[in-house]
Structures are given as structure tokens and as C-alpha cells.
Amino acid sequence: MRINCFLILFLTVFLSANAQISRLKVFEPDSTDSGFKIVRIKDVKLKYLTRSAKLTDPRTVLNRVKPLSVWHNRFQPTSFWKKVNKFGLNISEVAFVNWNAGGDNSVSALASADFLRNYKFRYLNWNNEAQIRYGLNAQEGRKLRKTDDQIRLSTTLSFRKDTITNWYYSVKANFRTQFSNGYKYPDRENPISRFMAPGYAFVGVGTSYIPPKDKFNLYISPATMKSTFVLDEVLSNQGAFGVEKGKKVFLELGFLITNTWETEIARNVLMNHRLNLYTDYVRSFGNIDVDWELNFNLKVNEFLAANIGTHIIFDDDIKFDEEIAEDDSIINPGVSRIQFKQLLGVGLLYTF
């Protein structure tokens, strides 16, 4: 009996050892060349499976497939264009009900849109900008009045000789006018300005200093043609904005300096500065026309922002307090004055 048990135990151990040591012939050489071999993997059915193993069908069943809950960002090639679109709307309102101190109900609104399309790659730099502003004020007891009106277009094409220098050879053109009639309130019968009356166009060549971050831009042009358009017949006959009476275009050749700078002076406080200085060579050299705009944008959150800004203009061709006799002769041609505008508003700002 003991001999039989011993033989059974010996056979069991022997068979188990052979089962663990024997290797499956999964990998077979595809060629006999000793220098280069290709190995193919064969599908082999296992004889012994552990209890925890689970056999599954490798084929995917379509009705069990679920869409991805998170979409990963797709690869996008590098773009040398910088695109910025900004839309803003500032609204201020004052209302009174049985207010002992007195006052008139009023609502003011200012809409703005800024578009940037800038291209920069190695030797070439091309900046394009469009700015639009329009504001209205409605006050109890009087008609609508315009508070802001501006169309400004600008493009600068620059080229440099190598990728180290920040100085470029540039060609610049910009244009400025307004949408609707301007009045010296309360007079609404005689407009003092209209669309393309005036309209200003600058075209010139020069050099630009543009650092790598593109937050600072200095343009110097020793040869810039300034065109003043007064396409309204009434204003043209008056000789407004420096044109000769009856003429609609006035041309000047002069020296232009333009500077723009945008920087964050504090957290969520962005300063934007733009300055234009121009003087004419022939008519009044040394008499500088100034167009300076300074804005501070205070970001509250993604869609809410506050704006504080000033705009100063001095143009020797724009006269004030002109005196005209009954026979339309000019008694006093008037004087040039500084034009000043201040802006303070809180509203919506959407950028994409």
C-alpha cells in the first residue's frame, strides 16, 4: 500500500515539473540567415489558465462604444499672425424720483470696437489696426447728443536686414474721420463737421523701432504726405480745417513721429499710450500738430472692465472764434486751441 502511494506521488510530481518547465514555441524564426532574422509571433492556446484569468473577445462591439467625455486639443501649426478682437459697451445712468436737490434723468452709452491683425516672421513685420468709437447721451428735456465719434485705420509694413536688430525700414499709412454730423450744441442746424469733413490720411516712409515683445513701437518718418479732406460743400466753401475756399483736398509734406506703448503698470491695470507729432516743411515748419491719447484699462473680471482716458489734439489748421462779416468776409480768422476730451466709464468688454 505504501509502495502504491509512493508511486502515485512520484508520478504527480514528475508530471507537474514537466508542465512548468516546458516552454511554448511561440517565437519562430522566419529566415535562416544569421545576419538578419525576422521573428513572427504565433497565436498559441494556453493549456493551463489561472482562476483569475478572464477571457474576452478582442473584437470591439460597436453598440458598447461610448463617446469621449473630454476632447483633447488638436495639433495646430504655428501661426505668425496675432489676432485681437475687442468689443466694449459702457453705460451710465442717472434717475431721480421726487429728488429734493433736483436733477435731470440721463443715460449715456459708448460703444467701441478694436481689431488687430499683426504678422511677424523673421525679417517682415506687418501691423494692422482698426478702431471704432461712437457715443450718445440722452437727457430729460433735450434731444440726443453725440459724445464720441471716431473711425481710425492704420497699417505699417516693416522690413529689417537681419534677425538681430530691432530697427526696421517701414512704410506707414493711417486714416481718420467720423461717422455722423457734429454740432456746436444747442445749434443743430449748422454742422461744424461731417463724415470726411474732415478726413485725414497720412502716407509716408521711414524707420521703426520694434522690440521683440511688440509692446513698444516708435516710428520716425522724414517724408510723410498729409492729406486733409473736406468733402462737404458748405464746409469747403467756408475754408474749414485749413483747406482753401472751394477746395476739398489740402496736401502737406512734413515730418511725422508716432509712438505706441502698452504695458501693465499694476496687476489688472493696463496702460495704453499713442502719440502722433507732425510738422509741415513748407507752410509752417516747427509748428507741431499733436494727437495724444492715454488710456488706463482696469480689468475687474473676464467681461467687466473700467476705463479712464484722455485725448488731446492740437491742430494749427483748426480755428476757433472765427468772425465773419455779413458779406462773408473774414474779420477775425480765429485762433488755434487745444482740444481736450476726458473719459471715465465702466462696462462690458469682450475679447477673442
Side-chain angles (χ1 to χ4, degrees), residues 274-287:
R274 182 184 57 79
L275 175 65
N276 288 349
L277 302 175
Y278 180 81
T279 182
D280 177 43
Y281 284 130
V282 179
R283 191 176 182 184
S284 57
F285 182 75
N287 191 358

Side-chain angles (χ1 to χ4, degrees), residues 56 71 144 177 252:
T56 58
W71 288 90
L144 283 175
T177 186
E252 298 175 271

Side-chain angles (χ1 to χ4, degrees), residues 46 75 93 106 114 142 163 299 327 334 342:
L46 299 177
F75 170 77
E93 182 262 348
S106 66
D114 297 340
R142 68 181 188 184
T163 58
K299 183 177 180 182
D327 57 353
Q342 187 270 332

Side-chain angles (χ1 to χ4, degrees), residues 9-292:
L9 180 60
F10 177 78
L11 292 174
T12 303
V13 173
F14 178 76
L15 293 175
S16 300
N18 289 337
Q20 294 177 1
I21 296 173
S22 62
R23 296 181 179 180
L24 298 175
K25 295 182 179 181
V26 179
F27 300 96
E28 292 184 354
D30 189 62
S31 63
T32 58
D33 187 2
S34 60
F36 178 77
K37 290 184 179 181
I38 299 176
V39 177
R40 293 182 178 179
I41 301 177
K42 297 176 60 179
D43 294 334
V44 178
K45 186 176 181 180
L46 299 177
K47 293 182 180 180
Y48 305 99
L49 298 175
T50 60
R51 293 183 178 180
S52 61
K54 296 181 181 180
L55 298 179
T56 58
D57 189 353
R59 295 171 297 179
T60 303
V61 182
L62 294 179
N63 58 5
R64 296 180 183 177
V65 176
K66 296 181 179 180
L68 295 176
S69 58
V70 178
W71 288 90
H72 297 279
N73 294 330
R74 296 182 178 180
F75 170 77
Q76 295 182 354
T78 303
S79 176
F80 302 102
W81 283 95
K82 179 182 178 181
K83 301 179 181 179
V84 177
N85 303 311
K86 293 182 181 180
F87 294 93
L89 179 62
N90 294 342
I91 299 177
S92 61
E93 182 262 348
V94 178
F96 302 93
V97 178
N98 299 325
W99 192 253
N100 184 54
D104 294 329
N105 300 334
S106 66
V107 178
S108 297
L110 173 62
S112 63
D114 297 340
F115 305 97
L116 293 177
R117 295 294 184 271
N118 298 337
Y119 176 86
K120 184 176 183 180
F121 179 69
R122 292 177 64 82
Y123 309 106
L124 186 64
N125 193 316
W126 187 21
N127 295 336
N128 302 277
E129 183 178 8
Q131 295 180 345
I132 298 174
R133 302 280 189 277
Y134 198 81
L136 292 173
N137 173 263
Q139 187 172 343
E140 185 179 10
R142 68 181 188 184
K143 298 180 180 180
L144 283 175
R145 292 190 176 186
K146 185 174 64 172
T147 58
D148 200 350
D149 190 357
Q150 176 180 290
I151 302 174
R152 186 185 296 272
L153 307 175
S154 176
T155 180
T156 306
L157 182 63
S158 304
F159 179 82
R160 59 180 175 177
K161 61 181 180 179
D162 55 54
T163 58
I164 299 176
T165 181
N166 294 325
W167 287 94
Y168 293 75
Y169 303 102
S170 301
V171 178
K172 185 179 183 69
N174 58 56
F175 171 78
R176 176 167 54 93
T177 186
Q178 62 190 45
F179 283 103
S180 59
N181 296 348
Y183 298 94
K184 188 175 182 179
Y185 298 107
D187 183 9
R188 294 177 176 271
E189 300 296 331
N190 303 307
I192 59 175
S193 62
R194 292 177 180 268
F195 175 74
M196 289 301 294
Y200 299 99
F202 294 84
V203 179
V205 295
T207 182
S208 298
Y209 177 74
I210 307 175
K213 294 184 179 180
D214 290 338
K215 298 298 182 180
F216 182 89
N217 190 312
L218 175 64
Y219 171 75
I220 302 174
S221 171
T224 296
M225 179 68 71
K226 176 184 177 182
S227 303
T228 303
F229 300 93
V230 182
L231 302 186
D232 181 72
E233 186 174 356
V234 176
L235 295 175
S236 174
N237 293 333
Q238 294 176 0
F241 307 106
V243 300
E244 297 181 8
K245 289 187 176 182
K247 302 288 185 177
K248 295 186 177 181
V249 181
F250 175 63
L251 301 179
E252 298 175 271
L253 179 63
F255 191 94
L256 175 67
I257 297 177
T258 300
N259 176 232
T260 59
W261 183 31
E262 182 177 323
T263 183
E264 189 174 12
I265 59 176
R267 185 177 179 182
N268 294 331
V269 179
L270 186 67
M271 185 195 75
N272 194 316
H273 147 86
R274 182 184 57 79
L275 175 65
N276 288 349
L277 302 175
Y278 180 81
T279 182
D280 177 43
Y281 284 130
V282 179
R283 191 176 182 184
S284 57
F285 182 75
N287 191 358
I288 301 175
D289 296 337
V290 181
D291 187 351
W292 182 28

